[in-house]
Amino acid sequence: MEPLPCTFVTKQESNYREQWFNYYKYPILNIITSLQEGMQENNRLDFENIQSAIEFFKLLKANLKTKDDGVRVYFASPSSDGTVTPGKCGLLTLIFGITEGADKVDNKNYYAYNGKTFDVVPEDKARIWVHNYQNVKRCILFETLSENDRLNVCRETKHIWFSLLQITQTLQEMESQSAKPGGKVTGFGIRFVSYTNLAYSFPKPVSDDEERKQRLTIAFTFMSEKKDIGIEDIDRIEFEQRLEITMNGFRGDTFDTGDPTPPPSNDNKAELDVSNQ
């Protein structure tokens, strides 16, 4: 039996992050999206089904050639008319990009959400979508950050980086859960959430927790029909056994969903980043 994946987050922490986003960040985002696009803001991106999610993560993993390669997930906000003008933005979404080497340089392969999965998107379009988020929504979220960030003029998250290990273990978990008899797992989704005002600890304190407090991030979730379910909900007995293995064999993983940046990428350039430094 395998331990829990290194992207595992406890149910309590997951709920707290979702509540924090919904209370502090979503209302602000929803106001500007409603004014500009006449629509309610996004708080989730769902794959068409679990298999489409698996195929996309297989594609990501196939592009990771060395142990230092990874996946950068940009927050983006494409306006419906496609313009890039001061103050213009649209619905919150994500763009996945492949990074190469220890410097985490984008290799300029980008994938955008199409309502069912993520498709290839040209670099120029990805640049526009990212610009609109960073130039508008990232700025207005400044007031939702921790006191430490605001005092140091450290801005909201631009993107999140996942290692080869995190992508691999997430994919393995998806394949394992979808293959179980009974077909309980039918879907997979990504949720917009926020780190909270409390440091996360499982099973020991997470490094750089002060830099993560109250920052925008994302969460992966399994789905049964339209309902979100966690690993614990799928098979509680197996979960408890895996949890014990995880706790006993802990080797230093942060047990968190990626590395939120900034920091260290803390400039105010509304642009794609070629490096995480």
Side-chain angles (χ1 to χ4, degrees):
M1 186 172 292
E2 296 294 325
L4 294 166
C6 62
T7 47
F8 171 75
V9 176
T10 64
K11 181 182 290 188
Q12 180 181 26
E13 177 68 15
S14 296
N15 290 338
Y16 197 13
R17 291 182 187 186
E18 187 172 353
Q19 292 168 7
W20 194 275
F21 172 82
N22 289 338
Y23 188 83
Y24 291 103
K25 296 186 186 289
Y26 183 83
I28 296 174
L29 294 169
N30 191 47
I31 288 173
I32 190 169
T33 302
S34 298
L35 288 173
Q36 294 203 9
E37 299 288 353
M39 294 183 288
Q40 297 294 298
E41 180 61 280
N42 276 338
N43 62 4
R44 59 192 289 162
L45 303 177
D46 292 339
F47 285 85
E48 183 177 23
N49 50 52
I50 184 64
Q51 288 305 317
S52 64
I54 288 173
E55 290 306 312
F56 177 61
F57 272 73
K58 282 183 176 179
L59 174 64
L60 294 175
K61 186 174 181 295
N63 279 279
L64 307 181
K65 307 301 184 182
T66 74
K67 65 179 180 61
D68 292 321
D69 294 350
V71 174
R72 177 175 282 125
V73 183
Y74 287 96
F75 290 98
S77 186
S79 60
S80 58
D81 61 9
T83 59
V84 182
T85 55
K88 190 67 177 177
C89 63
L91 290 170
L92 189 63
T93 188
L94 299 172
I95 292 177
F96 283 68
I98 306 299
T99 70
E100 296 179 345
D103 290 335
K104 302 180 176 67
V105 177
D106 283 10
N107 73 357
K108 301 186 179 181
N109 287 326
Y110 299 107
Y111 305 89
Y113 185 65
N114 65 7
K116 295 181 178 181
T117 186
F118 286 78
D119 280 337
V120 173
V121 62
E123 180 186 351
D124 58 347
K125 183 175 288 188
R127 192 178 303 278
I128 292 172
W129 292 17
V130 167
H131 175 98
N132 285 357
Y133 161 75
Q134 294 181 8
N135 199 43
V136 182
K137 291 190 173 179
R138 182 176 176 235
C139 293
I140 67 172
L141 288 174
F142 179 77
E143 64 184 88
T144 71
L145 296 177
S146 66
E147 181 179 9
N148 181 65
D149 278 353
R150 285 184 278 112
L151 288 175
N152 289 287
V153 196
C154 191
R155 303 178 191 278
E156 179 61 278
T157 308
K158 294 171 70 174
H159 44 66
I160 303 166
W161 187 80
F162 291 88
S163 67
L164 171 61
L165 177 65
Q166 289 170 317
I167 293 295
T168 299
Q169 291 195 7
T170 301
L171 173 59
Q172 290 172 341
E173 190 69 25
M174 294 160 71
E175 292 177 321
S176 173
Q177 297 294 354
S178 67
K180 288 182 177 177
K184 190 170 187 178
V185 174
T186 60
F188 191 81
I190 304 172
R191 303 292 173 257
F192 294 111
V193 297
S194 173
Y195 288 100
T196 72
N197 62 335
L198 300 178
Y200 179 53
S201 178
F202 175 81
K204 68 178 185 180
V206 174
S207 61
D208 302 324
D209 59 278
E210 287 297 327
E211 296 179 345
R212 299 184 178 208
K213 284 184 178 179
Q214 298 175 223
R215 289 191 169 280
L216 184 64
T217 187
I218 60 175
F220 297 136
T221 181
F222 289 109
M223 299 174 65
S224 182
E225 301 303 332
K226 298 295 183 180
K227 181 182 178 181
D228 290 0
I229 56 173
I231 300 175
E232 182 179 352
D233 303 313
I234 299 170
D235 187 330
R236 180 174 292 274
I237 294 176
E238 180 187 271
F239 171 80
E240 294 293 342
Q241 294 172 338
R242 294 179 67 191
L243 178 62
E244 183 176 357
I245 295 172
T246 302
M247 300 289 281
N248 292 338
F250 184 71
R251 294 293 183 272
D253 286 322
T254 62
F255 286 85
D256 216 341
T257 50
D259 173 25
T261 53
S265 179
N266 191 38
D267 61 76
N268 196 33
K269 180 177 65 174
E271 180 64 280
L272 293 170
D273 291 333
V274 296
S275 172
N276 200 30
Q277 301 301 316

